[in-house]
Amino acid sequence: MQHEPGDAYEALVQFLYRAPIGLAQTALDGAVELLNPMASNLLMPLATDAGLDNLFDVLAPVAPQLPAMVQAFIEPSGMICEGLRLPVGVQHAANGPPQVLSLNLTKLDPERLMATLADVTLEVQREQEMLSRRLHSAARTDSLTRMPNREAVREELQRLLARAQDGHGFAVLTLNCDRFRQLNDSLGQPGGDQLLMHMADRLRGALRPPTSRREPGPRSSQLAARIGGDEFVVVLDGLRMRLDAERVAQRLLDVLAQPYVIGGHEIVCHASLGLAWGLDAAALGQHDPDSLLRDAGIAMVEAKRAGGNRHAVFEASMRERAARRADIEADLRQALADEQLFVVYQPVVRLLPDDGVDRAAGVEALVRWRHPQRGIVPPIEFIQVAEECGLIGALGDFVLERACRDFMDWQARLGAAAPRLMAVNLSRAQLGQAGWIDSVGRVLRETGMPPPCLQLEVTESLAAQDQDTQARLHELKALGVQLALDDFGTGYSSLSSLHLLPVDTVKIDRSFVCQADTSYHHRVLIEATVKVAQSLGMKTVAEGIETQSQLDVVREQRCDKVQGYYFSRPLPAAELLDWLALEVALPG
Ligand code: C2E
Ligand code: MG
Ligand code: MG
């Protein structure tokens, strides 16, 4: 279609007049030459008494930099600025967002500028909403595993607790690696992170996707989250019974227990799991996500204390036990600072072929706590707490150093009559601590203790654990010290795997020895242990001898050494010296 020149001009004017974008033509100083209605609409809220005569004056409150920008732009034409956001500040609707304009400024030729203006209020609002959604989801996501974090778990629990009145069953499962600190030390942090990511993947994979709303039965959802370090949480919703939750718990533990391959090495990492049943909590009037998480955590600690790689269901009595442990922990910190800990020594005697005994064969150092209110506390009540709260390092160092010093003191005082071997117990947490083996070497050097006179005792469940532990045991052996396998018969390893452990001595547990004279079965076990140990060149010690007839049995079985109340209870250092001096008057 052909237009007359007049029509074309009119069409152009109409086009500019109706364009849904603000257009303005100005001189280089901002003096307005042409302005379409949209431009004056958009600029009006900014206009002062001077009206819309000069674009730069109008925009001065929100874009004072414009004159300088134009001056700095020396090219004859081109884009001076693009998409400059101008917060006009007025609101269209009562509660609407404040208006924002977008400005493009173009130099048309050496004398003229063209400004285009658009209302981008909604666009800005959408951007901000998206950003805040992203921030919100980042604040609820664990950056390492991309799992929901504690905040997300709390929100979910809040929702479920609110629905619990309707009898809506749900469970909170807290999972924690059994030896993460050790693994992290030996793998290095990147390896530790990788392990956590593998665990996260397995947890996600083991949970089924949410059921659709159309499926019959209760709608269920399963949330797997990481709430810190090596601590994961799974929230199971839409369950009929607690037993269903326990089944899932066991499945998760099984999945996590499969070996991991990290940096080309196969790693085994078991977890412990605590389960809190939401309806129990709600029935007790507990409507706070944090206490539910705490209860599941308390049950998890119980599972760990029971040996790990298992689950425990929260019961109210666990809370009291946890509080008591917290008391012990606080007192124990004080005890280390106030030197309330001390070491007693139980003689370990060697059985001689002529039915006699060598009483100076050695001693075992056993820690005690002189509690200001409770009196003497036995180690069974505090060693595990010390392991859990990280105090075992300081405690173990104290015992090792005290024992070595006392040992050297006896050598100086008694010469050939002094005990010839000092046994010191090790806890699994010590063996996993970075730098600990060096500190054993340091104590040996500083006290002058000959390494072959020190016997470190590890329980068989610890020694049998994994390649890593084995490597540590070999490092210890390289210091020249002896190793003993304590409490043999109570743990996992069997006679058939004894040859794999780098130990010099096997200590047969008291639970076998105390039935040596009454149970044929136990007698046979002792006999088999002694024979296998002997064939491997290892010595044997029978622990917990209390009677002459028990002694007779283990002597007949050719045990090398014995230890027990029959000879002596554990004694303070001074009394031990008396015991050694009173040799003739004692049994044996
Ligand atoms: P253990 O290393 O097997 O030590 C032997 C335990 O059996 C000692 O208990 C000892 O007093 C007790 N015992 C010895 N002979 C007899 C007996 O004839 N009859 C009876 N009923 N018991 C006897 P204690 O001192 O209470 O120590 C218990 C456990 O605590 C130790 O078992 C050891 O595993 C641990 N422990 C003790 N001191 C330390 C320590 O300094 N560090 C670490 N990590 N653990 C320690
Ligand atoms: Mg021991
Ligand atoms: Mg023992």
Side-chain angles (χ1 to χ4, degrees), residues 137-148:
S137 100
R140 297 165 73 261
T141 305
D142 168 49
S143 55
L144 178 69
T145 59
R146 312 304 307 158
M147 276 181 152

Side-chain angles (χ1 to χ4, degrees), residues 390-437:
L391 289 175
I392 193 70
L395 188 153
D397 288 354
F398 162 76
V399 174
L400 180 66
E401 195 162 337
R402 180 76 266 155
C404 290
R405 286 198 192 286
D406 281 346
F407 185 86
M408 294 312 288
D409 179 47
W410 301 333
Q411 307 306 308
R413 288 214 237 167
L414 307 182
R420 287 185 296 281
L421 190 71
M422 171 62 77
V424 175
N425 291 285
L426 280 193
S427 119
R428 71 170 58 196
Q430 279 171 287
L431 206 55
Q433 259 172 14
W436 178 75
I437 291 176

Side-chain angles (χ1 to χ4, degrees), residues 346 364 367-368 379 399 425 486-487 510 543-544 546 564-565 570:
Q346 185 176 36
E364 176 172 5
V367 69
R368 296 289 180 268
V399 174
N425 291 285
D486 209 346
D487 305 343
R510 183 163 61 86
E543 294 186 295
E546 293 189 359
Y565 293 173

